[in-house]
Amino acid sequence: MSLLDVSDLHASVVTDDQTQPILKGLNLAVAAGEVHAIMGPNGSGKSTLANVLSGRPGYQVDNGAATLDGTGLLELEPYERAQLGVFLAFPYPVEIPGVSNMEFLKASIDSLARARGDAQPNTAQFIRQVRELASSLDLDPAFLKRGVNEGFSGGEKKRNEIMQLLLLDPKLAVLDETDSGLDIDALKVVAAGVNRFRNASNGVVLITHYQRLLDYIVPDFVHVLSNGRIIESGDKNLALELEAKGYAWLT
Amino acid sequence: MTKSSVDQLVEAGSEYHAGFVTDVESETLRPGLDESVVEYISARKGEPEWLTQWRLQAYAQWQQMREPTWAHVHYPPINFQSISYYSAPKSQTDGPRSLDEVDPELLRTYEKLGIPLHEQAALAGVVADPAAVGTPAGANVAVDVVFDSVSIATTFKETLAEAGVIFCPISEAVHSHPELVQKYLGSVIPQRDNYYAALNSAVFSDGSFVYIPKGVRCPMELSTYFRINERNTGQFERTLIIADEGSHVSYLEGCTAPMRDENQLHAAVVELVALGDAEIKYSTVQNWYPGDENGKGGIYNFVTKRGVCAGPRAKISWTQVETGSAITWKYPSVVLRGDDSVGEFYSVALTNNRQQADTGTKMIHMGKNTKSTIVSKGISAGGSENCYRGLVRISPTAQNARNFTQCDSLLIGDRCGAHTFPYIENKNNSATIEHEASTSKVSDDQLFACQQRGIETEQAVSMIVNGFCKEVFRELPMEFAVEAGKLLEVSLEGAVG
Ligand SMILES: Nc1ncnc2c1ncn2[C@@H]1O[C@H](COP(=O)(O)OP(=O)(O)OP(=O)(O)O)[C@@H](O)[C@H]1O
Ligand SMILES: [Mg+2]
């Protein structure tokens, strides 16, 4: 059994006037310890996959299943999936004015601990840990007092997502274009964060358009998602090939 | 069709933790209002002749007046003859006494509500029931407690007396400090100021009286706790706070009522007088019963609150957290008469289900270099209506006056309404007036961002709403800021499906 098992997943996006099928029979197995990169043309369904796995409203599952460590995800509330260990790094992190980063992180970590029946972390220790993580991602500790993503630059928001990833330490991390909008140095900092997160018992799904990220976070597998299906899988060399040839030769 | 999660939140009923009834025998006057009722109330309290006449004069004026209709609220006509204008627990009919003599049934009521009436317990910081949110509860706080029409207990009287502070029921102050009462009663809000103020002036029952002598910093927070218990009664309390030159006081008011199917009227008057260099900080946590999710029952909260900065550099600051009442009609205001005086209004008004709120402030600049700040946060959920109404008036004499107004509305779901009516009357072109306004929604994206980090929906909503209110909560005394946050959470319970 893999850590994440997605089988024959069909899902649609639901808008006011229509229901449009996007994922059309997607299969993906991520074992513990693995990093899977997902690439593919714009509009092919990569973010839809991330959203459906994490339970974002506005999508409808038409068929198929997704399990984490054997537990079905698709029936669960979004917060239950998070409590089980699903983490989504958002491509466009949202601002929550007036709620400080620190307060948000505390609410989050306490909720996870409560759900798992763990003791709530000691506050002083927690604050120390968060400060340490912030500085490892080149984030000024002053950020922790500011509202969640309030007035953060694009790159700062992305680094904030990685800080949350490291703090919450989920089983499965789905990173949706975390590399976009980062300057060259920030890209390295973020990649180092992801590498620091990786271990033998967790898994990473890395959605990206750029081969360059994969120089820093070396994937075990690279998949090409097109028109709602994975049409090609390979190792890191596939990404190099895509960089050279584009997607046309596959479709 | 999947429903957005915000929409789903807005279904179901609310929970009101202070909704129980206390079983005490009460002496309640038959419903109805005429001169004899006014005279009865005055006689019941053994008032001097001048006050009886003052009430009768107010009653005569009230009869000439009409109920205001300009507010953005809707309710069937009130039958003022079906209300009882005086109700007191029988055990208390001889007026307030010492704590040991208070009916144990009443003491239990306040214990349930989390109001520390036992001074030792309060000093030790032992607070009865933290579930009773929206009520003042904390260590260093003196409390005056008003149950229906009478004040039943005031704590820490001796400690305050040592500092020269007078804190007692207004019915007592009429006898113990008649010169102060006579001088200031109605000096800020004249009898005929408005319909409800006139009614209150005629039939006011009890309330708190505070006097802080020259140069004294009140050694503890003062607070009054109002509770309506009896059926078909109105509560007409009257509060008068005088801060003499260079003094300082922080005062908090809290309120609850049982859940009843009928509407009940609460028409209070609060007058504040800050003399030169004095400062009054007045905070309200209003949690009257809001009615059920269909709008049945609940308190009509029609209140007149006004302060005057009578001398130079005086400061009056109103902070209110309004979550209760079926209808709220309330505009705590400041008359900035002294030069360099300062007026502030910080408000959080939350409406859910069928609640209606029309609230805001008036800042009347008369002195030179006067300054006012208005920060209003309106939160609407369910099918409620929330309206900010504010007036900034700069008189010709108010050279270099400054006002800053910030008015933010937050909507939860799409069946509720938020409205803003800012009025500016500027008669002096040296004035600086700034106005900022915003309307936002608790978005599905924000909720999902919280849920994706494991935070459950209800907590996520309350966290987002608390964040929105931060600038106002900051102004509350510490122990009440926490209560206010909890109260929002409880009041939003109805909004979470
Ligand atoms: N909320 C929505 N409303 C309407 N259409 C949507 C919505 N979400 C996704 N879609 C549509 O679904 C398709 C797949 O979108 P998705 O965001 O999954 O693509 P993607 O592979 O992540 O693309 P990109 O590389 O541009 O990020 C697109 O055609 C998109 O327009
Ligand atoms: Mg995408």
Side-chain angles (χ1 to χ4, degrees):
Chain A
M1 184 183 66
S2 306
L3 175 69
L4 174 71
D5 251 311
V6 181
S7 62
D8 195 31
L9 183 60
H10 291 254
S12 306
V13 56
V14 181
T15 57
D16 281 343
D17 41 303
Q18 59 168 339
T19 301
Q20 188 194 339
I22 306 291
L23 299 182
K24 301 165 181 168
L26 187 142
N27 294 291
L28 178 67
V30 178
E34 290 177 354
V35 173
H36 291 237
I38 297 187
M39 306 183 80
N42 292 136
S44 58
K46 301 181 296 296
S47 295
T48 302
L49 173 64
N51 290 336
V52 169
L53 288 179
S54 55
R56 188 184 205 115
Y59 297 87
Q60 168 190 308
V61 174
D62 302 312
N63 198 17
T67 59
L68 187 77
D69 276 338
T71 307
L73 289 177
L74 302 178
E75 309 68 43
L76 300 179
E77 292 294 321
Y79 65 84
E80 293 172 317
R81 303 182 200 202
Q83 291 168 354
L84 264 185
V86 176
F87 180 98
L88 170 61
F90 291 95
Y92 306 104
V94 64
E95 302 193 4
I96 311 179
V99 178
S100 78
N101 246 336
M102 194 61 109
E103 188 183 340
F104 180 77
L105 294 172
K106 184 82 171 78
S108 170
I109 203 147
D110 286 352
S111 298
L112 296 179
R114 210 166 32 239
R116 295 168 188 166
D118 299 343
Q120 296 199 347
N122 165 293
T123 304
Q125 230 169 305
F126 163 79
I127 292 174
R128 219 173 310 125
Q129 189 192 358
V130 173
R131 289 227 179 93
E132 191 269 319
L133 285 175
S135 69
S136 79
L137 289 158
D138 277 351
L139 281 171
D140 186 330
F143 275 89
L144 300 170
K145 291 200 189 118
R146 281 167 59 180
V148 176
N149 293 318
E150 208 179 347
F152 288 20
S153 78
E156 287 162 352
K157 287 180 183 171
K158 295 299 180 73
R159 276 182 274 165
N160 201 18
E161 295 292 291
I162 298 304
M163 182 175 77
Q164 296 178 12
L165 170 70
L166 288 167
L167 179 74
L168 303 180
D169 194 24
K171 284 189 194 156
L172 175 74
V174 180
L175 312 181
D176 191 357
E177 294 199 31
T178 301
D179 54 331
S180 69
L182 292 177
D183 67 40
I184 301 153
D185 295 332
L187 184 70
K188 289 183 193 162
V189 168
V190 161
V194 175
N195 287 327
R196 181 171 163 191
F197 165 73
R198 287 173 79 166
N199 65 33
S201 58
N202 64 30
V204 177
V205 173
L206 198 60
I207 297 171
T208 183
H209 283 297
Y210 304 107
Q211 192 279 327
R212 130 183 249 137
L213 177 69
L214 306 183
D215 288 341
Y216 299 108
I217 307 171
V218 182
D220 300 290
F221 298 93
V222 175
H223 308 280
V224 177
L225 181 54
S226 173
N227 195 20
R229 263 189 223 112
I230 288 180
I231 55 162
E232 184 75 25
S233 295
D235 61 12
K236 60 183 179 186
N237 291 317
L238 177 58
L240 291 168
E241 204 174 345
L242 293 169
E243 181 86 351
K245 301 201 261 180
Y247 293 113
W249 61 283
L250 285 170
T251 51
Chain B
M1 263 315 291
T2 59
K3 235 174 169 183
S4 90
S5 49
V6 170
D7 286 343
Q8 290 169 3
L9 290 182
V10 184
E11 291 158 8
S14 76
E15 260 186 63
Y16 185 72
H17 291 306
F20 60 89
V21 179
T22 303
D23 191 14
V24 288
E25 239 189 294
S26 282
E27 180 208 298
T28 302
L29 192 59
R30 61 168 168 77
L33 183 56
D34 56 26
E35 281 196 1
S36 73
V37 169
V38 176
E39 282 165 347
Y40 171 86
I41 295 169
S42 189
R44 198 78 202 67
K45 295 176 174 292
E47 288 175 351
E49 182 59 19
W50 71 264
L51 189 49
T52 313
Q53 288 311 318
W54 193 84
R55 285 175 179 275
L56 286 169
Q57 197 179 25
Y59 177 69
Q61 285 168 339
W62 179 72
Q63 282 184 303
Q64 309 292 315
M65 298 170 84
R66 289 233 187 100
E67 231 176 306
T69 53
W70 44 263
H72 190 80
V73 295
H74 306 279
Y75 56 94
I78 298 174
N79 181 355
F80 290 92
Q81 296 305 332
S82 69
I83 298 171
S84 165
Y85 289 83
Y86 189 84
S87 173
K90 266 208 176 127
S91 52
Q92 293 299 129
T93 46
D94 299 328
R97 333 172 208 185
S98 83
L99 263 181
D100 314 336
E101 293 172 78
V102 174
D103 185 332
E105 191 59 35
L106 291 177
L107 285 181
R108 268 193 292 281
T109 301
Y110 291 95
E111 228 164 77
K112 268 201 225 173
L113 292 165
I115 315 298
L117 286 189
H118 289 286
E119 296 186 2
Q120 292 84 343
L123 275 175
V126 179
V127 173
D129 177 9
V133 287
T135 53
N140 201 22
V141 182
V143 188
D144 182 20
V145 169
V146 178
F147 191 88
D148 290 335
S149 303
V150 294
S151 169
I152 61 160
T154 308
T155 62
F156 291 106
K157 267 186 167 169
E158 282 90 47
T159 321
L160 292 170
E162 277 167 35
V165 171
I166 304 168
F167 178 41
C168 67
I170 198 161
S171 57
E172 191 182 314
V174 167
H175 300 286
S176 56
H177 302 88
E179 67 305 336
L180 285 173
V181 176
Q182 194 165 6
K183 178 168 177 192
Y184 290 107
L185 187 74
S187 70
V188 186
I189 302 171
Q191 290 151 306
R192 53 168 308 123
D193 186 80
N194 67 71
Y195 189 77
Y196 297 106
L199 178 62
N200 176 288
S201 300
V203 301
F204 76 87
S205 35
D206 219 336
S208 297
F209 175 83
V210 176
Y211 173 77
I212 316 289
K214 271 187 193 160
V216 169
R217 227 190 139 81
C218 187
M220 52 182 27
E221 305 269 349
L222 302 183
S223 88
T224 300
Y225 181 79
F226 296 102
R227 182 160 179 87
I228 299 180
N229 190 59
E230 198 55 32
R231 191 179 293 274
N232 295 329
T233 58
Q235 189 161 21
F236 304 93
E237 89 265 359
R238 183 122 197 158
T239 295
L240 177 57
I241 299 178
I242 302 143
D244 212 327
E245 287 171 15
S247 69
H248 178 285
V249 62
S250 169
Y251 180 94
L252 184 121
E253 163 200 291
C255 352
T256 59
M259 298 157 85
R260 297 199 189 279
D261 286 347
E262 320 86 54
N263 297 104
Q264 282 178 288
L265 180 62
H266 171 252
V269 168
V270 175
E271 297 179 280
L272 310 183
V273 180
L275 300 180
D277 294 298
E279 179 174 349
I280 301 176
K281 191 172 167 58
Y282 191 106
S283 314
T284 305
V285 175
Q286 186 264 112
N287 183 26
W288 294 116
Y289 177 53
D292 71 8
E293 67 273 22
N294 301 316
K296 198 168 172 50
I299 301 291
Y300 290 166
N301 190 33
F302 299 155
V303 168
T304 308
K305 289 182 166 170
R306 191 176 308 150
V308 58
C309 287
R313 295 169 303 279
K315 177 176 176 184
I316 289 179
S317 181
W318 297 101
T319 305
Q320 60 172 22
V321 177
E322 303 277 322
T323 63
S325 296
I327 302 177
T328 295
W329 179 97
K330 174 180 170 187
Y331 315 89
S333 305
V334 184
V335 180
L336 297 149
R337 198 182 296 146
D339 290 349
D340 301 289
S341 60
V342 176
E344 294 175 340
F345 175 74
Y346 297 96
S347 169
V348 166
L350 181 149
T351 53
N352 193 3
N353 296 317
R354 313 292 302 174
Q355 281 176 277
Q356 309 173 52
D358 193 296
T359 185
T361 185
K362 288 187 259 183
M363 292 291 173
I364 311 297
H365 292 255
M366 298 167 76
K368 297 188 189 67
N369 307 317
T370 46
K371 198 179 134 190
S372 64
T373 303
I374 300 171
V375 177
S376 159
K377 303 277 179 175
I379 302 140
S380 339
S384 67
E385 291 287 331
N386 202 321
C387 163
Y388 168 81
R389 188 183 302 275
L391 169 66
V392 175
R393 178 184 292 151
I394 314 285
S395 315
T397 50
Q399 202 61 21
N400 296 321
R402 276 183 296 158
N403 163 265
F404 171 76
T405 299
Q406 181 187 335
C407 226
D408 299 322
S409 307
L410 183 69
L411 305 174
I412 303 177
D414 48 20
R415 291 185 299 121
C416 51
H419 316 271
T420 315
F421 302 102
Y423 303 94
I424 296 169
E425 292 172 15
N426 186 1
K427 303 262 169 56
N428 186 317
N429 52 24
S430 68
T432 313
I433 300 172
E434 285 176 81
H435 182 93
E436 289 176 7
S438 77
T439 301
S440 53
K441 287 189 92 167
V442 172
S443 72
D444 277 350
D445 282 352
Q446 286 174 327
L447 270 185
F448 180 63
C450 296
Q451 293 167 325
Q452 215 305 302
R453 298 301 183 252
I455 301 166
E456 292 174 30
T457 315
E458 210 165 285
Q459 195 192 348
V461 173
S462 112
M463 196 165 70
I464 294 166
V465 171
N466 265 287
F468 174 75
C469 300
K470 191 152 276 181
E471 288 145 286
V472 174
F473 286 175
R474 227 183 6 225
E475 298 298 324
L476 285 173
M478 254 292 274
E479 50 274 65
F480 304 126
V482 177
E483 296 300 321
K486 280 195 256 167
L487 180 56
L488 278 196
E489 204 166 317
V490 172
S491 304
L492 279 167
E493 266 168 32
V496 178

